[in-house]
Amino acid sequence: MTGANKPADGDRDLPANSLRGGRFAGGPADIMRRINASIDFDKRLYAEDIAGSKAHCAMLVAQSILSPEDGAAITAGLDQIRSEIENGSFSFSAEREDIHMNIEARLAELIGPAAGRLHTARSRNDQVATDLRLWVRGAIERLDGAMRELQRALIDRAEAEAATVMPGYTHLQIAQPVTFGHHLMAYVEMIGRDRSRLSDCRRRLNQSPLGAVALAGTSFPIDRHATAAALGFDGPAANSLDAVSDRDFAIEFLAAAALAGMHLSRFAEEIVLWCSDGFGLIALSDAFTTGSSIMPQKRNPDAAELVRAKTGRLNGSLIALLTVMKGLPLAYGKDMQEDKIPVFEAADALELCLAATTGMVRDMRPDRERLRAAADRGFSTATDLADWLVRIAGLPFRRAHHATGMLVKRAEARGRTLAELPLAELQAVEPAISAAVYDVLNPDRSVTSRLSFGGTAPESVRVAIAEARRRFLE
């Protein structure tokens, strides 16, 4: 009797829970059913589960483990199940625990005993590991597209504001003048690194667990390279134990998501600050703000605040899965059922945050006059004065730094900017100062002078914008 014609354990209709089989005399307790079932969340893997099953089925037929007739029936049944799930007519059952058994049970209803042959040379262990890798791979591709659109929005906005002068901050104190475009381009670079991390994660996860079976491989003459190729993997995972028990790829994905969320949160915090009455540097429209239930004058930047808050969810997802995996011996443990919720939640939260941030970037209206006026505060050109004393007057930097600090103290006491101090008063502190110093005490001139690579001069910013379009958007 050939492998294609041998009867299999599945050559009969599946009971409500076929997994207990002949080993168990009774059914599980109700609480056991509740804690054991994962269908409420792992049904999101239906497309990946069906794709993996079709690839496995085609390989079994090619290897003469499954007859062509059974293979055709299984494939047609799987296609119908996918259609039913997508049109909402599929009935998910907690009794069948998970997405794998829900699909297998429906397949048995559709095509009869042949459905039981699909699980030959396969376990739920390698099945779910394959499904989750496929799902994370798809999530990475979706998130990369969303990050690219955020970069596009930032670059477009930076180009429009390449020469808009604003104060740059350290310690949230006014430091030196920069341009708004230069400030926005910093986030383009951050998101670029986030995309790179996700790309690296995708490259490492792209190994197929399918065919590792429960943990030890199989005695059937399967072709793991064929199923890997059919599913778009670079190849099969090299070790069957590792293939079913590895969740590095999911943890790495969550780490990359948490980093990206942190970047979005930093930007969200700046939007909240810039919109506040104390700053008033930008405004958001009604589309990205909310009102107050009691204070009719309020316009709250709630989209930004929620982006900032969802960082906690992303961080929590990473810590949750690290905690699940930290004490597990090889190979598979049911603990790993808890891998999906953090992955799904993090992907959903990050995708939403990216869309909201992109919307806010396109919606924001910078107040150029207030941005420029803010650059006049806080003695933002003090460093330019110290640099001038070194470059033009030939002072050692420490002496220049000390003299500049004394001049800032005098200006602060008189309620003036450095540019408003008379020359005689400047010279009273440092005789080497000449009238030419006033050329560098203007924020616009300060910004224009910073032509170093990666600097804030509008000319440099426009070069950076053109290069960023080439690197990230082409």
Side-chain angles (χ1 to χ4, degrees), residues 429-449:
V429 171
E430 178 49 63
I433 295 176
S434 71
V437 76
Y438 290 103
D439 289 340
V440 302
L441 298 182
N442 177 284
D444 300 284
R445 292 196 182 106
S446 170
V447 164
T448 303
S449 72

Side-chain angles (χ1 to χ4, degrees), residues 143-191:
L143 289 167
D144 182 74
M147 289 179 178
R148 187 173 185 270
E149 287 310 301
L150 175 54
Q151 286 181 304
R152 186 189 304 280
L154 286 164
I155 290 169
D156 288 346
R157 178 66 68 185
E159 191 164 43
E161 309 297 338
T164 300
V165 176
M166 68 172 290
Y169 299 86
T170 62
H171 309 279
L172 208 55
Q173 305 294 312
I174 291 175
Q176 294 177 258
V178 296
T179 70
F180 193 45
H182 187 59
H183 194 111
L184 294 176
M185 289 300 293
Y187 288 99
V188 173
E189 295 299 323
M190 293 182 209
I191 301 302

Side-chain angles (χ1 to χ4, degrees), residues 107-148:
L107 187 63
E109 292 173 355
L110 290 172
I111 69 171
R117 295 195 171 99
L118 175 60
H119 210 53
T120 305
R122 186 176 74 171
S123 163
R124 284 194 301 174
N125 294 359
D126 63 337
Q127 191 176 356
V128 71
T130 302
D131 291 358
L132 189 58
R133 282 178 186 257
L134 289 172
W135 194 93
V136 171
R137 192 175 72 186
I140 287 172
E141 290 164 1
R142 291 191 300 275
L143 289 167
D144 182 74
M147 289 179 178
R148 187 173 185 270

Side-chain angles (χ1 to χ4, degrees), residues 336-348:
M336 293 184 197
Q337 181 168 290
E338 294 298 310
D339 61 358
K340 296 164 201 66
I341 290 177
V343 168
F344 294 158
E345 287 190 346
D348 290 348

